């Protein structure tokens, strides 16, 4: 996935990511931990093609993401990468259903198939009864479930989650963790950034620790 990747934002400063090599196998769930400023979000952005490495290679689903044009990277991201954010990033003027279907519309998925996938995901995530509501009328946990459904609508090769439980209460955080674990058990490859050692231990098979842009620990968790 990452081959000797370095990312510098300031030519004279310390790299945000420093010569990292990392392989995530299909179907694996990997948690990325580390202090603020350690390079966690930069790592996710590099994997998603939202940022380009200063040097090194990024390969996802057999494609060199770092070699794509901006347009090509955006197209690749829509088809192969699902992203979940701490603060949901839902569009408040769209209904729950329309938020979920938006990425499928952007990839040109036929309308009938798009609506079937959307209905299946809303049911799977327990939010079908909210499909006509707007995000502002939902709880944090419900909004995160909408965001997860949106991330999965195009059946991505890789699901990236940046602090997916950071904006919800502890009980809801556990429910989101269980949901991610369930998705992974069904075969979804997952990389999640978290400050929660408990979340990492319970819902990922492997935990990577970043400090100053370098991997200082890469360990497999005991089966949960």
């Amino acid at each position: 996935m990452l081959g000797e990747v370095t990312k510098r934002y300031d030519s004279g400063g310390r790299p945000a990511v420093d010569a990292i090599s990392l392989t995530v196998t299909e179907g694996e769930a990997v948690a990325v931990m580390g202090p603020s400023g350690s390079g966690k979000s930069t790592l996710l952005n590099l994997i998603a093609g939202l940022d380009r490495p200063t040097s090194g290679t990024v390969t996802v689903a057999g494609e060199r993401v770092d070699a794509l044009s901006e347009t090509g990277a955006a197209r690749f991201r829509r088809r192969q990468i699902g992203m979940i954010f701490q603060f949901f990033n839902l569009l408040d003027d769209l209904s729950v259903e329309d938020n979920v279907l938006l990425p499928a519309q952007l990839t040109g998925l036929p309308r009938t198939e798009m609506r079937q996938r959307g209905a299946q995901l809303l049911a799977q995530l327990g939010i079908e009864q909210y499909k006509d509501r707007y995000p502002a009328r939902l709880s944090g946990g419900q909004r995160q479930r909408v965001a997860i459904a949106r991330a999965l609508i195009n059946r991505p090769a890789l699901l990236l989650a940046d602090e997916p439980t950071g904006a919800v209460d502890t009980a809801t955080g556990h429910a989101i963790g269980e949901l991610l674990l369930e998705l992974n058990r069904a075969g979804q490859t997952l990389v999640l950034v978290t400050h929660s050692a408990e979340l990492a231990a319970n819902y990922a098979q492997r935990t990577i620790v970043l400090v100053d842009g370098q991997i200082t620990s890469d360990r497999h968790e005991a089966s949960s």
Side-chain angles (χ1 to χ4, degrees), residues 139-142 144-145 164-165 167-178:
S139 70
Q142 289 163 348
Q144 192 59 290
R145 286 170 183 266
T165 64
V168 296
D169 60 58
T170 302
T172 302
H174 283 301
I176 296 298
E178 288 290 344

Side-chain angles (χ1 to χ4, degrees), residues 76-145:
F76 175 81
R77 198 159 43 246
R78 285 197 295 265
R79 294 184 181 280
Q80 297 287 10
I81 303 286
M83 299 192 74
I84 307 167
F85 304 93
Q86 178 175 355
F87 295 108
F88 323 124
N89 287 15
L90 299 174
L91 297 175
D92 287 336
D93 57 344
L94 294 183
S95 69
V96 163
E97 182 178 40
D98 287 340
N99 265 284
V100 170
L101 297 181
L102 183 59
Q105 292 175 326
L106 293 173
T107 56
L109 194 70
R111 188 175 182 84
T112 301
E113 184 178 355
M114 176 176 68
R115 291 198 169 277
Q116 286 176 342
R117 283 193 195 180
Q120 181 182 12
L121 282 167
L122 290 169
Q124 180 184 355
L125 298 176
I127 49 174
E128 68 268 39
Q129 67 269 39
Y130 306 123
K131 70 184 184 72
D132 296 321
R133 291 195 187 178
Y134 290 87
R137 297 185 59 197
L138 302 179
S139 70
Q142 289 163 348
R143 277 181 277 178
Q144 192 59 290
R145 286 170 183 266

Side-chain angles (χ1 to χ4, degrees), residues 1-2 20-33 184 189-194 197 199-209 215 217-224:
M1 178 175 281
L2 299 181
I20 283 182
S21 292
L22 171 66
T23 298
V24 177
T25 59
E26 186 176 350
E28 195 171 20
V30 179
V32 181
M33 299 189 68
N184 174 247
T189 309
L190 171 66
V191 177
L192 69 106
V193 163
T194 180
L199 184 76
N202 289 337
Y203 306 117
Q205 301 134 5
R206 178 180 170 199
T207 298
I208 290 165
V209 178
I215 294 175
S217 173
D218 184 348
R219 66 183 186 273
H220 283 78
E221 305 290 347
S223 298
S224 55

Side-chain angles (χ1 to χ4, degrees), residues 15 39 41 54 67 172 214:
S41 292
T54 305
T172 302
Q214 295 183 317

